[in-house]
């Protein structure tokens, strides 16, 4: 069933809350269809299978309509739902022995500290322009794909890049760039600092960018090397 | 500012999280360096493409089960 057919704006939180608490099915269907795709992706970052993620989303919705009377409106309704989801998904991830160390144990913290662009692309310390792009290594403009086949090709590249990310990168990237959350909300949801959040986000974006660069670079042949 | 510093500040810049002095150095470098201007554009393109990924949805069975559970949930 395609749950993305209706995209009218949602009623404001206070209205939604009252309607959900009263058992208004139309209101439930609205939020269920609107928020479940993002919840599914988020859950997938904490558990090992797609089926397990689907169960987490289901469990979350059950908890939501059981607890809706206790929602006090101190955060947005969606943030409240996402927090329940993260709690539920983490609990299950622990059961599946798949926990995400957000701040990183030592080796991971170290791996969060290096450069995000291959240092060999920059001129060395003895060069008159140290730290600048080496000839032929400067990023070249990408030609945005126009036809649908290429768009789906780019999505496949991005999907592969996402799958290859460490989970703690992917979860931040999903929330910020796929779900469109602000940094404050992401920090609150995941219990991380603004600085940590930015490091994880930057490293995640840099890795996806690199995959796209490989893809666009290969698509455009050697144009890059002539600069 | 050098290119290798620039590339590490892109997310902070896009979040408006650079202090004013660093932001000025960032912009000055951007104005003079085509490679970094392309790098920043590639970041923007990456972010935009991520935001346009098609959504996965719940299976029909799960959705139906949840709608039924919501309907049958005892309310005061
Ligand atoms: Zn530069």
């Amino acid at each position: 069933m395609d749950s993305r057919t209706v995209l009218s704006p949602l009623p404001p939180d206070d209205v939604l809350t009252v309607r959900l608490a009263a058992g208004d099915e139309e209101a439930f269907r609205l939020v269920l269809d609107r928020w479940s795709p993002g919840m599914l992706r988020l859950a997938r970052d904490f558990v090992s299978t797609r089926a397990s993620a689907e169960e987490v989303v289901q469990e979350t919705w059950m908890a939501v309509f059981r607890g809706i009377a206790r929602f006090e409106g101190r955060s947005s309704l969606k943030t409240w739902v996402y927090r329940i989801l993260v709690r539920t998904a983490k609990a299950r991830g622990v059961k599946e022995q798949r926990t995400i160390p957000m701040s990183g144990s030592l080796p991971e913290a170290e791996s969060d500290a290096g450069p995000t662009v291959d240092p060999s692309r920059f001129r060395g310390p003895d060069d008159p322009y140290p730290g600048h792009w080496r000839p032929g290594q400067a990023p070249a403009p990408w030609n945005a794909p126009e036809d649908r086949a290429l768009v789906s090709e780019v999505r496949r590249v991005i999907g592969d890049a996402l799958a290859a990310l460490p989970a703690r990168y992917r979860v931040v990237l999903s929330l910020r760039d796929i779900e469109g959350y602000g940094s404050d909300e992401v920090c609150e949801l995941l219990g991380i600092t603004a600085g940590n959040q930015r490091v994880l986000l930057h490293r995640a974006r840099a890795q996806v960018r690199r995959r796209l660069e490989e893809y666009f670079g290969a698509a455009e042949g050697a144009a890059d090397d002539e600069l | 500012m050098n290119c290798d510093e620039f590339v590490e500040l892109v997310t902070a810049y896009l979040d408006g999280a650079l202090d004013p002095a660093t932001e000025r150095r960032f912009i000055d470098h951007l104005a003079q360096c085509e490679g970094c201007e392309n790098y920043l554009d590639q970041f923007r393109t990456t972010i935009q493409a991520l935001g346009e990924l098609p959504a996965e949805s719940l299976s029909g069975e799960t959705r139906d089960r949840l709608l039924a559970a919501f309907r049958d949930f005892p309310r005061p």
Side-chain angles (χ1 to χ4, degrees):
Chain A
M1 186 174 307
D2 189 348
S3 56
R4 277 177 290 137
T5 38
V6 189
L7 270 178
S8 53
L10 289 175
D13 276 3
D14 50 345
V15 175
L16 268 179
T17 307
V18 170
R19 288 175 61 185
L20 288 172
D24 181 331
E25 275 185 62
E26 178 55 29
F28 182 59
R29 192 174 297 121
L30 273 178
V31 289
L32 178 69
D33 289 344
R34 191 67 59 85
W35 296 344
S36 292
M39 291 164 68
L40 209 49
R41 267 196 302 255
L42 185 54
R44 193 70 183 78
D45 294 331
F46 295 90
V47 299
S48 43
T49 64
R50 153 77 210 226
S52 189
E54 181 133 345
E55 282 170 32
V56 166
V57 173
Q58 176 171 314
E59 210 177 303
T60 301
W61 280 120
M62 305 287 257
V64 164
F65 61 72
R66 252 182 261 125
I68 188 72
R70 291 192 303 276
F71 173 68
E72 291 171 334
R74 276 182 297 169
S75 62
S76 79
L77 182 61
K78 190 178 174 196
T79 299
W80 183 72
V81 172
Y82 268 44
R83 277 190 206 143
I84 296 174
L85 179 109
V86 169
R87 217 165 34 235
T88 308
K90 275 185 178 170
R92 183 176 284 252
V94 169
K95 250 187 272 168
E96 295 175 354
Q97 301 188 321
R98 188 176 190 279
T99 48
I100 302 179
M102 290 308 298
S103 44
S105 55
L106 199 58
E108 272 145 348
E110 273 166 11
S111 74
D112 288 343
T116 56
V117 175
D118 181 354
S120 71
R121 295 182 66 173
F122 300 108
R123 297 165 189 254
D126 302 333
D127 191 279
Y129 301 100
H132 286 71
W133 301 104
R134 277 184 202 284
Q137 290 297 328
W142 292 341
N143 291 325
E146 276 150 36
D147 69 81
R148 295 171 68 89
L150 281 179
V151 169
S152 78
E153 183 72 351
V154 166
R155 286 186 177 154
R156 189 189 54 74
V157 173
I158 293 177
D160 290 350
L162 287 173
L165 289 175
R168 66 192 185 289
Y169 292 6
R170 191 171 54 241
V171 69
V172 173
L173 187 74
S174 300
L175 286 167
R176 285 292 308 274
D177 291 345
I178 303 181
E179 310 305 329
Y181 273 85
S183 67
D184 291 351
E185 287 170 301
V186 174
C187 291
E188 217 187 311
L189 269 170
L190 300 176
I192 56 179
T193 65
N196 191 4
Q197 185 259 170
R198 195 172 305 121
V199 168
L200 296 172
L201 177 64
H202 185 68
R203 301 189 75 79
R205 285 172 171 174
Q207 284 197 26
V208 176
R209 187 212 68 89
R210 195 162 62 231
R211 292 294 195 100
L212 284 172
E213 183 179 51
E214 282 163 20
Y215 168 74
F216 283 115
E220 290 183 14
D224 200 60
D225 299 326
E226 290 161 21
L227 290 175
Chain B
M1 182 175 296
N2 293 341
C3 306
D4 55 357
E5 185 184 357
F6 182 98
V7 296
E8 302 301 345
L9 295 177
V10 169
T11 291
Y13 163 73
L14 292 172
D15 270 355
L18 292 179
D19 64 77
T22 309
E23 187 177 83
R24 192 166 344 102
R25 292 196 302 125
F26 185 93
I27 300 293
D28 287 353
H29 183 86
L30 183 66
Q32 290 172 20
C33 181
E34 208 178 312
C36 285
E37 191 163 39
N38 289 335
Y39 190 87
L40 178 58
D41 271 337
Q42 292 176 355
F43 243 68
R44 292 193 186 105
T45 303
T46 301
I47 294 162
Q48 192 192 341
L50 284 163
E52 289 166 359
L53 286 180
E56 262 188 276
S57 33
L58 284 180
S59 68
E61 303 91 87
T62 302
R63 183 176 181 274
D64 291 346
R65 199 176 311 130
L66 279 166
L67 287 170
F70 182 80
R71 194 179 308 124
D72 299 340
F73 185 69
R75 291 178 181 84

